[in-house]
Amino acid sequence: MVAAAPTDSRLSENIMQFARALRAAGLPVGPGKAIDAVEAVKAVGIGERDDFYWTLHAVFVQRREQREIFDQAFHIFWRNPQFLKRMMSLMLPQFRGEVNKEEHREISPRVADALGGNQAGAESEPEQEQVEVDAALTFSSRELLQRMDFEKMTLSELEAAKKAIAAMRLPVEDVATRRFKHDARGHRVDMRATLRAGLRDPGIIPLQFKSRRRRRPPLVVLCDISGSMSRYSRLALHFIHALTTDRDRVHSFLFGTRLTNVTRHLRHRDVDVALDRISDSVPDWSGGTRIGHSLAEFNRRWSRRVLGQGALVLLISDGLDREGAVGLEEEIERLHKSCRRLIWLNPLLRYEAYRPQAQGAKAMIKHVDDFRPIHNLQSMRDLAAALSEPGSRGQESRSKVAA
C-alpha cells in the first residue's frame, strides 16, 4: 500500500519531483506530462500501490526501452526498501564478494545518476582550494570513456561520447575509376592528347600520358533499429551523421520490420534536427526485426542506385531475426556480390564468448568480408583504422569468431 499524502499539494509536489527525476534519467518528460500525471492520480486514486504504479506508467512511458528505467526510478523514488538498499550500495565503496542472486538487480547508470546525483535538501559542500595533481601515472577520463560500453554510460558520459563521435573521420582508401586524367608520370599513352600536341608542332610529336582518376567510393550504411539494438542504434546514428557531414556519396538506411531511407535527413548539419526528422519518418523504431525482408527490399529498390563504383557497405545489426532467417542467406549473398566490401558491425562482439549461433547470424557470417564490434568509442576508432588497410584482415577475424 502506498501511504496517502496529507494534502493534494504535497502529492502533486512529489509527482513533479518524480517527473524531474525521469527527465534527468533520459525520458522525454515535460511539464505537460507532469500535469497529466497529477490529474491521472487524482482521478484513479492511490489506494493500491499497483494502481499508482500503472497510472504513472501509462503517462510517462511511451516506448518499450523506457520501461526498465521507469520501473527502477519508481521503486527507488517511492521508497521500496530493496531498491533503496541497492541504491545506497552504489553510493558506497564497492568490494568484491558473494552476492545474493535473488536480491541482485543491476540499476541503470542513468537512474543512479538522476536520483543519486542531486538529492533534495542536500547540503552543499564548502568550496575547497584548487590543488594541482600530477596525473602522469593515472588513467584519464577520456581513456576510460573510449572503452566504456554505450549501454553502461550515464547521461553525461553519453553526451561526451556524442561529441567524440562528431569529431570522428572515416579514412576510406580511394579506388580507381574508369575515367582518366592527364598525368606526365602516367604509364598509358593518351592518344588524343598526343595528336592534339602534334597539330601544334608538326615537326615533333611529344607523347602525352594519362592515368586513372581515383575517387573515394560510395559508402552505404544499413542500421538495425529493432528493440534489441535500441541502445546502440542511437549512438550509431550519431556515427553515421558524422560520416555524412565529412564525405560525399553516403547513403543511409534504417531497418526493423521495414526499410527506410534516411539519407536526406542525415545531411542536415545539426545532428539534433536530423535525429528529430528521422524519429518522425521511421514508424518501426524499437520494434521487431525482419532482416531478410529488409535486405530484399534494398536489393530490389536501391542496390543499382547506390552500389556502383566499388561501394563499401556497413551493416550494423546483432543478427537476431524474428522470422528465423527466412530468405536472409540469399539476400545477404546478393548484397555481398553487389558491393566491393561488406563489413558487419555487431555490438554482441563485446562478449569474448560470443559465437554466431542464431539462425540469422549463421546465414550472415558466411557472406561478409569483415566482422567487427561496435559497442564503444574504441571500436569505432578501430573500424576507421581497419578501413585504411587492405580488406584481407577481415577474413581472419570472421573465421576466428565463426570457429
Side-chain angles (χ1 to χ4, degrees), residues 35-182:
I35 296 174
D36 293 341
V38 173
E39 297 298 330
V41 170
K42 289 181 179 179
V44 176
I46 54 174
E48 295 290 337
R49 184 182 183 86
D50 290 342
D51 295 341
F52 183 63
Y53 174 91
W54 289 111
T55 300
L56 296 181
H57 184 282
V59 177
F60 291 128
V61 177
Q62 293 180 324
R63 297 181 181 274
R64 183 182 304 173
E65 65 271 15
Q66 299 172 356
R67 296 177 181 175
E68 182 178 358
I69 294 179
F70 173 84
D71 182 74
Q72 295 179 5
F74 178 87
H75 289 89
I76 295 172
F77 188 89
W78 300 104
R79 303 296 181 180
N80 183 305
Q82 296 295 331
F83 279 82
L84 183 60
K85 181 179 179 181
R86 174 61 180 161
M87 186 64 196
M88 294 300 296
S89 66
L90 292 177
M91 303 172 63
L92 297 175
Q94 297 181 359
F95 61 93
R96 296 184 179 273
E98 296 182 357
V99 179
N100 189 348
K101 295 183 179 179
E102 295 180 357
E103 296 180 356
H104 175 72
R105 181 176 180 181
E106 183 178 0
I107 293 181
S108 170
R110 301 183 187 180
V111 178
D113 189 21
L115 296 179
N118 298 319
Q119 293 291 341
E123 296 182 357
S124 59
E125 298 182 357
E127 296 184 358
Q128 300 179 357
E129 297 181 359
Q130 295 183 357
V131 179
E132 295 184 0
V133 179
D134 185 6
L137 300 179
T138 61
F139 291 99
S140 65
S141 59
R142 180 177 301 180
E143 184 176 355
L144 295 176
L145 187 67
Q146 295 292 322
R147 300 185 180 279
M148 184 178 296
D149 195 327
F150 291 144
E151 188 176 3
K152 299 180 180 180
M153 288 184 176
T154 62
L155 289 177
S156 59
E157 291 168 344
L158 284 175
E159 292 300 324
K162 291 176 183 178
K163 293 180 180 179
I165 291 174
M168 286 185 178
R169 299 296 179 263
L170 198 63
V172 180
E173 183 181 3
D174 295 345
V175 296
T177 65
R178 295 183 179 181
R179 296 183 179 274
F180 291 86
K181 64 177 181 179
H182 175 73

Side-chain angles (χ1 to χ4, degrees), residues 35 40 47 53 98 114 122 125 128 155 162-163 166 192 203 248 250 262 266 270 325 328 345 347 358 373 379:
I35 296 174
Y53 174 91
E98 296 182 357
E125 298 182 357
Q128 300 179 357
L155 289 177
K162 291 176 183 178
K163 293 180 180 179
R192 292 183 179 180
D248 60 343
V250 178
V262 295
L266 285 173
D270 191 339
L328 176 56
L345 305 176
S379 62

Side-chain angles (χ1 to χ4, degrees), residues 24 37 70 81 109 119 148 181 189 201 240 252 265 271 314 343 347 356:
F70 173 84
Q119 293 291 341
M148 184 178 296
K181 64 177 181 179
V189 177
D201 188 359
I240 300 171
S252 307
H265 301 312
V271 62
L314 301 180
I343 300 177

Side-chain angles (χ1 to χ4, degrees), residues 366-385:
K366 304 176 184 177
H367 305 285
V368 296
D369 298 311
D370 203 348
F371 191 33
R372 310 188 66 86
I374 183 170
H375 63 287
N376 56 18
L377 294 176
Q378 186 61 43
S379 62
M380 292 183 176
R381 296 187 184 279
D382 292 341
L383 171 64

